[in-house]
Every structure is written in C-alpha cells, then in structure tokens.
Amino acid sequence: MAFKPANNIQDLQYFGEFGGVNPSISDSSTYTFLSAKTMFDTFEGNADGCYLYSRHSSPSNLYLGEALAAMEGTETANVSASGMGAITPVLLQLCGAGDHIVSSRTIYGGTYAFLKNFVPRLNIETSFVDITNLEAVEHAITENTKVLYCESVSNPLLEVADIKGLADIAKRHNLKLVVDNTFSPLSISPVILGADVVIHSLTKFINGSSDTVGGVVCGSQEFINALRNVNDGASMLLGSTMDSVRAASILKNLRTLHIRMQQHSHNAMYLAEKFEADGLKTVYPGLESHPSHNLFKSMMNEKYGFGGMLTIDVGSLDKANELMEMMQDKNLGYLAVSLGFYKTLFSAPGSSTSSEIPEDEQKEMGLSDGLIRFSIGLDADIERTYKTMRTCMETLNILDPREEIIKPSKLQNA
Ligand code: PLP
C-alpha cells in the first residue's frame, strides 16, 4: 500500500487540557517533580513521560515532533530552533574527530559552509560529490566515512537524489544516510526509501507563513534519544531548542500542508511548462526534460506533485536582477530568499543563498550567474501571473515579443 503521509498526520489525536481541539501550549521552562527520586531517574533517562527542562523537551515540542515523525514514517522526531539547528547536531552526533562525510556538492549554502569551513576545525573532513553519480559517491567513501549526506531535491539546482540507490550504498558500507527533505515535504518520503535520518527546515513549506525559523530531525527512537541525552547529546548540549509557542503555531500550519503542496506543485508545473515552451532554460523535476524526472516519479507520493521550486536561466546576473525587480514591482512576488510562502519568492542563488560556495565551484556544479530560483506561491490565478511575467520578460528582451494572435472574428471582418 502506498505511504500516506498526510493521513498519518490527520490520524493523530490531541486535546488541550480542558478538552480544547488544539493541545495546550506548555508555557514553562522547568517542571516540578513529586519526588526527588523521579527527578534523579529523569536525568538518567529512565522516567518516561516526565518533563525535566524545556531545552530537553516540552509537551508542545513533542506534539509537533510526533506529527512530523508520522509524516516521515519514523519512530520519533526532535524539533529545533532552525533548520541549521537540526543539521549541525545530527552531523556532530554522528561524526567525531578523524571521521569523514560524503556529501552532495549541491546543497544549501549554509550546510555547505558548515561542512567546508566549520567541521574541519574538529578534524572532520568532507568529500563533495555529484550525488546523481552513484559510482562517484561510492568511490569517495573511505574507511573513516560515517555519513552520506544529501538533499532529496537540491538547493538551488533541483538535482534529485536516488535515495534507494544511496541507501543501498550506505548499508553496504555501514554508513548513515542523512537526507534533507526541505524542498519536497509529502512528495518524497526518504525513510520509506531507505534513509536513516530525515531533516527539514520547517522555516519553508512546512510552516509556510515565513514568520519563523524552525527545524526537525526525524529518526529512530535510539538516535533521537542520543541527540537529547543530557550527557553527550548534540541537540541537548548545543541548545538549539524551539520555543513552545512556535511549536504550537507550526503544528497548526502543518495541518494544511497537503493542500498547500498541491497548489504549489500545480502552479509550479503550469509555469515550468509555459517557460519551457517559451524557450527559457527551465529546470523543474516535473518536466520530462529534467534529467531525473523519471527517478522523481518513481519515488514520489503522487498526490503532492513535483514541488514548488523551479529555476530559469536568463543569461546574466544583471538581467536576473532587472527581472526580479520588475516582477516585484508588478506584485508577482517578492525578491527574497527562502521558500514555501504563499507569495512567490525569487532570488539569484549565486549572489545570495549559495554565495558561501566559491565562484569556481559554483561554475563547476552548473550554478550560473543568470539563474533565478523561484519558490512558486499559492496564486489562485496562475494564468494571470504567467501573462504578467511574460510581459516583464518581453520588456527586458529576455523573450521576443509575441506576435499578436489575430482572432478569427477579426480575420472575417478584414
Ligand atoms: N536546508 C535547506 C534545503 C535550506 O534551503 C535551508 C535554508 O534555506 C536550510 C536547510 C536551513 O534552514 P534554516 O534557515 O531554517 O536554518
């Protein structure tokens, strides 16, 4: 039977302490114990259901974590104050001095910077590879490798990882496959395909309101317990904890994710097809021209489509900037980083979200100056949006003006 992530979220039942339809928000940083012995046991990790201190866990954070674990099909999950607050403790929990990571070379710029510039201080090395080339991935593994790291759909190039293929490699070499699924919530379920740990930046589609940053790690009970361990857990000790009020508001937004993802995907597919037909260099996993279109299809939960992210290449950074400013001016969206908002967001990744990646490496991975990354919004009338975008592109000579279509009635009159 197909995996049904949104059903799994809906099937959870929570009540507030007075029977409210939403769980009550836990507005406390610390919790009382009826006996000193239970407090001691809780520190030892042996008092199930007891709360100790909110950096460790809180009822609101556990509710959100449970819903996200249900969505990803994992035993449990741990929410964090940001996506980076999920990624960094996972990698530091799994790797120590002398260890090695094999990572996709096209990943979010912050993750790339962490692996390239930060973890070498702790004597952790990373090999960056073309994740679509499974041979290259396997070739990069050394006896010190502990983690295979990728994004299901990569930021910003929209490369698609073969999660089953990577999971086979990980199993053969006894590695953990860690997948950042931020770009494809609901559409792709990495754990069902063999991943060990799934991470999201909740900041994006899952919360969907661009009003907070947040993150989550979904995994086995054993791994999440290890992250939260008071003695050596990276999440507990690095302290990137989500606030309960935020956890409650993200949980409420999560409940409409399935509807939003369908609309994001529908609108992105519409625009991608139009842009491609117009002759623009367009990348969208839903297009047959995408090199991993069939792979995405083979992995996806069909209902949710190919996601809300697409890119076009308009030739130069100057043109990209002009177009983005004009589109903002015409109220087609915002010139802003991030993704998953109800409005379309656009940015030129080479000079923004991927600027941590040196220019020569950007070129090598195919990240060109004229690339614009779009997070397509929930527009009710995407045809109107397209028409106005097309006019902007014609005004800036990115596309040739379309010859006016002569209506048959006019021809008859002529
Ligand atoms: N992962 C991906 C794919 C992202 O795009 C981002 C942010 O842009 C992050 C992780 C980091 O998330 P946050 O900004 O919530 O820390």
Side-chain angles (χ1 to χ4, degrees), residues 13-53:
Q13 250 191 354
Y14 308 105
F15 297 106
E17 59 189 310
F18 302 108
V21 294
N22 288 306
S24 309
I25 298 174
S26 44
D27 199 21
S28 295
S29 59
T30 191
Y31 303 81
T32 57
F33 287 88
L34 289 178
S35 84
K37 163 90 172 58
T38 319
M39 181 188 269
F40 175 77
D41 287 346
T42 308
F43 264 101
E44 295 288 293
N46 299 328
D48 242 8
C50 285
Y51 295 96
L52 176 67
Y53 184 62

Side-chain angles (χ1 to χ4, degrees), residues 270-282 386-387 389-391 393-394 398-400 402:
Y270 180 93
L271 288 178
E273 281 178 340
K274 291 283 186 194
F275 290 159
E276 184 168 66
D278 285 340
L280 284 169
K281 212 165 144 193
T282 310
Y386 164 69
K387 282 186 182 148
M389 281 183 177
R390 161 114 211 163
T391 308
M393 292 181 199
E394 288 175 4
I398 293 166
L399 290 175
D400 291 334
R402 195 172 259 171

Side-chain angles (χ1 to χ4, degrees), residues 154-170:
S154 76
N155 183 358
L157 294 177
L158 310 183
E159 282 179 357
V160 178
D162 176 354
I163 297 171
K164 268 192 187 147
L166 292 168
D168 285 346
I169 295 177

Side-chain angles (χ1 to χ4, degrees), residues 82-85 87 108 111 151 155 180 182-183 201-204 213-214 339 373:
S82 69
M84 287 308 290
I87 292 165
Y108 165 59
T111 313
E151 295 171 0
N155 183 358
D180 178 338
T182 300
F183 274 31
S201 164
L202 302 177
T203 316
K204 315 293 159 60
V213 287
L339 41 134
R373 185 190 77 178

Side-chain angles (χ1 to χ4, degrees), residues 130-139 162 164-166 169:
D130 173 356
I131 205 73
T132 62
N133 180 345
L134 293 182
E135 253 173 53
V137 171
E138 190 147 24
H139 190 68
D162 176 354
K164 268 192 187 147
L166 292 168
I169 295 177

